[in-house]
Amino acid sequence: MSNLSQSVADKINKEQIKQKPVWIFVIQKIFWTILLVLSVVFGGVSVAIIGFLLVEQDWVELQPELANRITPVLLAIPYLWLIIFTGLIFLSWYYFKHLGRCYRQPMFKVAAWVLSLSLVIGLGLLTLGWGERVNNYLASAVPIYSRNFDTRHHVWQRPLAGYISGQIIQLGSNQLRLAALDNKIWLVRLNGDTKIDALAILDLGGQVRVIGYQLAPFDFLAKEIKDWDCVCGGYCERCGGHCAGCEISCQIKESGCGQRKR
Amino acid sequence: MLTVKNCPVKASDAELVELVLDNSDYFICLMERYEAKLRRYILRLGRFSAEDGDDLLQEVFIKAYKNLRGFNIEMSFSAWIYRIAHNHVISQFRHNSARPLTVELDTNDNSLLATGLQLDGRIDQVLLAESIKRALEKLRPAYREILTLKFLEDRSYDELADILQKPPGTIATLIHKAKKEFKQHWTYEQS
C-alpha cells in the first residue's frame, strides 16, 4: 500500500472526516432547479412586458411617420427588457448545467428550449394582462423606469418629429401650457384646424398627446390633441383599469375611431 | 481496518463505490486504484514539486471522500474523480493567480504525444522532446489541458465531457483546435 493512500485513510479516521449526507446533494439539486424555474418564469414575464410595450405603442398615430422613417420602431423597441431577457436565457443555461449531467447538452439547444418556454409563458401572461400590470407597477413604483425605459414616453417626446405629450398646467382660449414628460414647459397653440379627440379632457392636470409642428423652441402648433391614457377600446390608466367610465366614453367614440383594441 | 490486500481487485469502480458507501474503510481501495494516475495528472497540469503534488492529491482524495454520496452513478467514477482533481488544481492556480508557464514531460509522455498528434518521429528524439515541450508551453492552458487529458491520460471523449463539463461536440472542437494550434507551434519550433 502506498504511503499517500494510507496517510489519507489515517487522516480520515483520525480527524473523523465524515461524508456529506445525501440530503445536501438533494437540496443542491432542488436549489438549481428552483433557480432554473424562476429564470424561465421571469423570462416569460420579460416577454410579456416586451409584448405589452410593443402592442401599447400608438402605431395608428405613428403611421404617417412610419411611411418614411424607421425611427419610431427603433424607439419603440424595449431594449432594457430585451437585455434582461437575454441575460435570463444565459442564467437559465448556467443553472441547467448544474443539474446532473445536463452540461452535456449544447448551449444553443438549451437556449432554444428556454426561449420557446419563455415565449409560451410570456404570451400567456400577456393575454392575461400581466405584462401591462408589471409594467405599470414598475412605472409607478420606480420613477427612473418610466422616465428612461418606458418606450411610449420616448416616442412621444420628439417635438421636432411632431410628437409631444405631457400634463396641462395652464389653459387659455387658444393655447395651453404643457409640462412635457422631460419636465420642460411647452406652449401649445391651437387654431381652427386643431382636432381635439373627444376622449381628451382639456383640464388642468390632464395628460395629453399632441401631434403637430414645432414652431420654435418650446413653442408647438397642435394639429391633433389626444388623451394620454384613453384610446378607443383601450385600457384606461387614469381610471385605474378597464373601468366603466373610460369604456363608455370609448364606446361612444367607437364608430369611426378605428383605434387599437387591447 | 481494511488493508489494500483485502481490496476486491476484480470489483468495478461503481461496485467499489457501493462498498465504500456501506463501509468507508474500502475507500483506501479506490485511492490505491487512482493514486498513481491522479498524481501524474496533477503533475502534468502544473509545475508542482512532488511534495506539493502529493498535498494536492491528498486534498483531492479527501474532497472525493466527503462528496462520495453525491457521485452520479450514471457517470464513470474515473471521470468524476478526475473532475475533482481538475477543479482543485484550477482553484490552486487561481489561488496563486498564475498558471504554470513551463511543462514537465518525461520520455514516455513525449512518445505518447508524438503518436497521438501524428508528429514526425524520424527526427532526433532529444530535438523532438524539446520541440514538443516548447510547443506545449506556448499553447493556451485550456488547449494544453485537453491534449494532456486526451493523449497522456488517455481519456475518452465521453469522459472528457464529464471531466471538463462541456458537451461532447465542444470537446471534439476543442481537441481539433488544440491539435491545430499545437502543430503550428511545433512546426515553428522545428524550423
Side-chain angles (χ1 to χ4, degrees):
Chain A
M1 189 189 308
S2 75
N3 286 336
L4 189 122
S5 295
Q6 184 59 63
S7 70
V8 174
D10 289 344
K11 190 175 177 177
I12 288 170
N13 282 324
K14 195 178 155 198
E15 294 178 18
Q16 292 189 320
I17 296 169
K18 296 268 180 266
Q19 288 170 1
K20 287 182 192 167
V22 181
W23 63 263
I24 287 184
F25 301 102
V26 174
I27 281 184
Q28 273 178 359
K29 207 173 246 183
I30 292 172
F31 173 75
W32 290 116
T33 310
I34 288 172
L35 285 178
L36 174 66
V37 171
L38 282 179
S39 57
V40 173
V41 169
F42 281 122
V45 173
S46 311
V47 170
I49 295 174
I50 291 168
F52 166 71
L53 289 173
L54 289 176
V55 170
E56 77 140 10
Q57 284 298 342
D58 306 282
W59 297 114
V60 174
E61 286 87 342
L62 294 169
Q63 230 159 30
E65 192 189 1
L66 276 169
N68 304 315
R69 291 196 300 172
I70 198 170
T71 319
V73 177
L74 296 178
L75 286 169
I77 295 171
Y79 296 101
L80 170 77
W81 287 105
L82 281 175
I83 291 167
I84 290 175
F85 182 48
T86 312
L88 285 167
I89 289 179
F90 276 107
L91 272 181
S92 306
W93 167 71
Y94 178 76
Y95 299 147
F96 183 76
K97 275 201 326 177
H98 284 83
L99 293 173
R101 294 173 94 194
C102 294
Y103 51 79
R104 294 173 77 99
Q105 298 300 323
M107 187 186 166
F108 72 88
K109 201 171 158 186
V110 179
W113 270 104
V114 172
L115 188 81
S116 315
L117 256 175
S118 300
L119 282 176
V120 170
I121 295 172
L123 290 176
L125 290 174
L126 180 67
T127 314
L128 294 171
W130 275 92
E132 188 177 337
R133 264 173 232 165
V134 177
N135 185 69
N136 291 346
Y137 171 75
L138 284 172
S140 60
V142 189
I144 196 171
Y145 176 80
S146 61
R147 269 203 308 275
N148 298 301
F149 302 113
D150 191 327
T151 50
R152 195 166 170 233
H153 284 197
H154 294 161
V155 171
W156 285 95
Q157 209 166 308
R158 297 178 302 135
L160 282 173
Y163 300 93
I164 60 165
S165 67
Q167 199 173 28
I168 301 169
I169 54 167
Q170 198 183 335
L171 264 175
S173 56
N174 56 358
Q175 64 179 48
L176 53 92
R177 283 195 189 272
L178 206 66
L181 295 169
D182 57 2
N183 292 327
K184 286 174 181 152
I185 310 298
W186 283 79
L187 171 69
V188 178
R189 297 172 193 274
L190 285 72
N191 61 21
D193 295 331
T194 304
K195 281 195 279 181
I196 300 170
D197 194 284
L199 298 177
I201 303 162
L202 298 191
D203 272 343
L204 285 178
Q207 196 90 13
V208 289
R209 294 170 286 161
V210 186
I211 302 169
Y213 306 99
Q214 181 176 330
L215 302 171
F218 308 111
D219 193 349
F220 201 84
L221 174 64
K223 222 170 77 179
E224 214 174 334
I225 298 180
K226 289 170 177 259
D227 191 82
W228 172 256
D229 298 317
C230 208
V231 288
C232 288
Y235 169 81
C236 179
E237 205 171 75
R238 189 180 55 220
C239 310
H242 291 277
C243 63
C246 191
E247 278 179 358
I248 288 166
S249 51
C250 282
Q251 279 161 15
I252 293 166
K253 283 279 133 190
E254 196 76 10
S255 55
C257 183
Q259 303 252 18
R260 65 188 172 163
K261 272 193 181 262
R262 273 191 272 146
Chain B
M1 193 182 175
L2 198 76
T3 67
V4 78
K5 283 179 193 163
N6 309 110
C7 284
V9 185
K10 286 184 180 171
S12 67
D13 285 351
E15 286 165 343
L16 261 183
V17 171
E18 290 289 327
L19 285 173
V20 179
L21 293 178
D22 281 341
N23 177 0
S24 57
D25 285 349
Y26 278 100
F27 190 61
I28 202 164
C29 306
L30 276 173
M31 285 195 285
E32 183 65 19
R33 212 171 257 193
Y34 281 94
E35 189 184 314
K37 289 179 195 171
L38 288 178
R39 179 182 285 118
R40 212 173 43 223
Y41 173 58
I42 289 170
L43 292 177
R44 277 168 177 161
L45 279 186
R47 197 188 177 201
F48 299 111
S49 65
E51 291 77 30
D52 286 346
D54 275 1
D55 285 347
L56 282 174
L57 182 56
Q58 191 170 334
E59 288 159 17
V60 166
F61 279 142
I62 289 174
K63 225 177 212 180
Y65 177 76
K66 282 182 178 172
N67 290 288
L68 202 62
R69 289 183 191 276
F71 166 61
N72 184 350
I73 208 87
E74 285 171 29
M75 71 192 281
S76 78
F77 179 79
S78 156
W80 184 74
I81 201 158
Y82 264 85
R83 171 80 195 154
I84 292 175
H86 162 87
N87 282 346
H88 198 66
V89 173
I90 298 293
S91 74
Q92 195 65 28
F93 290 151
R94 282 197 192 122
H95 185 69
N96 298 338
S97 61
R99 276 219 162 196
L101 296 172
T102 54
V103 178
E104 295 300 315
L105 298 172
D106 58 31
T107 323
N108 188 40
D109 289 347
N110 285 323
S111 59
L112 281 172
L113 270 175
T115 314
L117 296 166
Q118 295 158 331
L119 305 178
D120 187 355
R122 285 172 297 178
I123 61 167
D124 180 86
Q125 287 304 300
V126 179
L127 280 176
L128 177 73
E130 200 47 42
S131 56
I132 286 178
K133 184 177 183 296
R134 279 207 297 269
L136 266 185
E137 281 170 3
K138 282 184 179 169
L139 271 184
R140 60 191 86 179
Y143 287 176
R144 194 189 304 161
E145 197 165 344
I146 203 152
L147 290 185
T148 304
L149 280 165
K150 178 76 189 117
F151 299 110
L152 301 181
E153 299 299 326
D154 198 26
R155 299 291 109 190
S156 66
Y157 276 67
D158 211 40
E159 283 180 306
L160 285 176
D162 286 330
I163 295 168
L164 300 174
Q165 295 204 336
K166 290 185 191 304
T170 309
I171 293 293
T173 312
L174 262 176
I175 290 177
H176 175 73
K177 285 183 179 170
K179 276 167 90 172
K180 202 174 156 190
E181 197 174 302
F182 177 87
K183 279 190 177 168
Q184 278 172 358
H185 290 310
W186 186 72
T187 312
Y188 177 77
E189 289 301 327
Q190 288 291 296
S191 62

